[in-house]
Amino acid sequence: MLAGRYNISVTAGTTFQLSPQWLIDNLAVNLTGYTATFQVRQFVDSTTPLLNATTSNGLITITPATGTIAINVAASTTATWPAGNYLYALNLTAPDGVTIYQILQGAFVVAASAVH
């Protein structure tokens, strides 16, 4: 399965929220027992991500019945991000802990803010 492609733009110093829904044949995938990881990196092989949001660190909340993955990053965190072009991917790990699906990927642009 190829990941969906969606490009994101964020202004540094603002709250970042994204709530994609995983659908197959227009039906929500039941995400009971799944975990999620959303990483932003400057390059695919960058060793340190700009953002590592997970269900474990509380930056991602999954609503299993609707197949919704809610990512929420505080403005105080995005304020530390340097403006630039990055890449991101959203992975879901099945309850077996082995099966991983990349459901979303794309460009992630951080814009500087004129408000300080």
Side-chain angles (χ1 to χ4, degrees):
M1 172 178 91
L2 289 176
R5 184 148 184 91
Y6 180 72
N7 296 327
I8 299 170
S9 295
V10 178
T11 301
T14 64
T15 301
F16 169 63
Q17 294 177 315
L18 181 70
S19 294
Q21 184 181 29
W22 191 14
L23 302 172
I24 296 178
D25 295 330
N26 262 352
L27 297 173
V29 174
N30 185 326
L31 298 179
T32 299
Y34 278 74
T35 59
T37 301
F38 179 89
Q39 288 189 343
V40 178
R41 296 177 184 275
Q42 188 169 19
F43 304 105
V44 173
D45 59 354
S46 296
T47 56
T48 304
L50 177 72
L51 173 63
N52 183 40
T54 67
T55 45
S56 297
N57 67 18
L59 296 178
I60 299 179
T61 304
I62 294 176
T63 305
T66 63
T68 303
I69 306 104
I71 303 158
N72 191 354
V73 181
S76 59
T77 298
T78 71
T80 66
W81 294 350
N85 297 314
Y86 302 87
L87 305 168
Y88 80 90
L90 173 61
N91 287 359
L92 293 176
T93 302
D96 65 13
V98 177
T99 307
I100 299 173
Y101 302 97
Q102 186 167 103
I103 64 163
L104 205 56
Q105 67 175 347
F108 192 95
V109 177
V110 177
S113 176
V115 177
H116 298 279

